[in-house]
Amino acid sequence: MRKAVQVSCGDNYTLAVLSDGSVWAWGSNWNGELGIGEKGGIFATPVRVKGLEDIVMVSAGKDHNLALRRDGTVWAWGRNEGGQLGDGTRESKLVPVQVKGLKDVVMVAAAEGHSLALKRDGTIWVWGFNSDGVLGLNEIVTHCEVPLKVEGLGEIVSIATNRYLVFALRKDGRIVAWGERRYKYLCGDIDLWDKRKFIIIDKLEDIVAIALGENHAVALRQDGRVLTWGVFEYDLWRENKRIFPVLIERELLEDVRMIAAGYKHALVVKGDGSVWAWGMNRRGQLGDGTVVSKVFPVRVKGIEGVVSISGGGWHTVAVKEDGSIWGWGFNYFGQVGSRDGVVREEDYVITTPVEVFDKSFFG
């Protein structure tokens, strides 16, 4: 029986990779995000993305997506005005197309208008809009329709991005950052006067995982401790604005195995399989049974044994060890999901996790 193994949330939709390498999608399809050969409409139950097989990872941007095949090639679909699909054109695609010239890729990351790939040799390749130097190229370009290599980074082992910035985790456990200058507080308050200059973020060592939200960052240390900085919720500006990375109190978060960042909320999975969240919660995306935003982590109710988790614009989706898919938060566009395909008004905001699809759904 096929089961889910990984999920990635876009703004108003969700992608899932199954154990057989197929990719499924649900939620808003206004820009062809679901990859079914047409655009428009809402699909509250998963539909299969066309033409993809043997996929090991997906990354959802705002309205375009990347999929990594086991053979190291990358495939993309959705909006493409800036060349973010990497197929050599600026025409949007309703079904996946292969990104040109990429092989030996081990990780992909999609943002609002640009895309990244990490290759096995530790190099980063970028394409799409180059707003405020977010591609990290050594020349001034407005957009790039095919992947280009970012030079001068050292050996990279992981990548994270939002619409303004890119974080690259080096093999030595340090984070290299670049992007738009007005988000310098995410880079340790360093003035990015040269938007093409790479910055090593201070006070960060022994990092093994990174995540970027709209205005905030999360990093996981080798010892299982979590650091966080930035702005998670403007209503909590004074309590929640941190320029430099700070460790979350030990009694709240230790033995963390996985981190994720949504639009304005953050998520971690601990070694015991429990999920903790903090930040904006206006649509129940923290899963603690309320719509009250939180400065400090709270435990997500009624879910454990999580092996994959992702935060979207206003929703969160997780996969459990048994391959079932659970979701919570804003569901107006069916991005959390619905077993019968109907999104009722009472299900627009889901404040605690619900099992939306079990293994039997996928046959």
Side-chain angles (χ1 to χ4, degrees), residues 70-101:
R70 193 175 302 276
D71 63 4
T73 60
V74 180
W75 300 72
W77 68 99
R79 292 186 70 171
N80 194 31
E81 289 92 336
Q84 58 263 49
L85 299 189
D87 68 335
T89 77
R90 296 177 68 183
E91 299 174 358
S92 298
K93 302 297 189 299
L94 300 180
V95 295
V97 293
Q98 186 171 355
V99 177
K100 284 184 176 293

Side-chain angles (χ1 to χ4, degrees), residues 16-93:
V17 180
L18 300 193
S19 54
D20 66 349
S22 63
V23 178
W24 297 67
W26 60 98
S28 169
N29 191 44
W30 298 117
N31 294 290
E33 299 96 323
L34 304 191
I36 57 175
E38 61 184 73
K39 66 178 179 178
I42 290 172
F43 296 78
T45 54
V47 290
R48 184 166 182 171
V49 178
K50 290 188 174 183
L52 290 182
E53 58 184 16
D54 212 20
I55 300 299
V56 295
M57 177 188 182
V58 289
S59 179
K62 182 178 181 182
D63 38 34
H64 83 284
N65 306 293
L66 302 174
L68 173 62
R69 278 188 58 171
R70 193 175 302 276
D71 63 4
T73 60
V74 180
W75 300 72
W77 68 99
R79 292 186 70 171
N80 194 31
E81 289 92 336
Q84 58 263 49
L85 299 189
D87 68 335
T89 77
R90 296 177 68 183
E91 299 174 358
S92 298
K93 302 297 189 299

Side-chain angles (χ1 to χ4, degrees), residues 25 34 73 98 114 126 137 156 165 173 197 241 274 276 278 323:
L34 304 191
T73 60
Q98 186 171 355
H114 65 276
V126 295
L137 301 175
I156 304 301
L165 297 171
K197 185 177 181 180
K241 183 180 179 183
S274 64
W276 296 68
W278 67 99

Side-chain angles (χ1 to χ4, degrees), residues 175-194:
I175 295 177
V176 185
W178 65 90
E180 187 172 338
R181 70 170 63 221
R182 67 190 176 106
Y183 290 88
K184 63 182 181 180
Y185 57 83
L186 284 178
C187 301
D189 203 28
I190 296 173
D191 188 1
L192 298 180
W193 63 272
D194 181 349

Side-chain angles (χ1 to χ4, degrees), residues 9-10 37 69 113 119 237 261:
C9 295
R69 278 188 58 171
K119 295 182 69 170
W237 178 274

Side-chain angles (χ1 to χ4, degrees), residues 150-165:
V150 182
E151 302 285 355
L153 296 178
E155 187 174 353
I156 304 301
V157 297
S158 186
I159 50 177
T161 186
N162 60 20
R163 72 167 112 173
Y164 312 108
L165 297 171

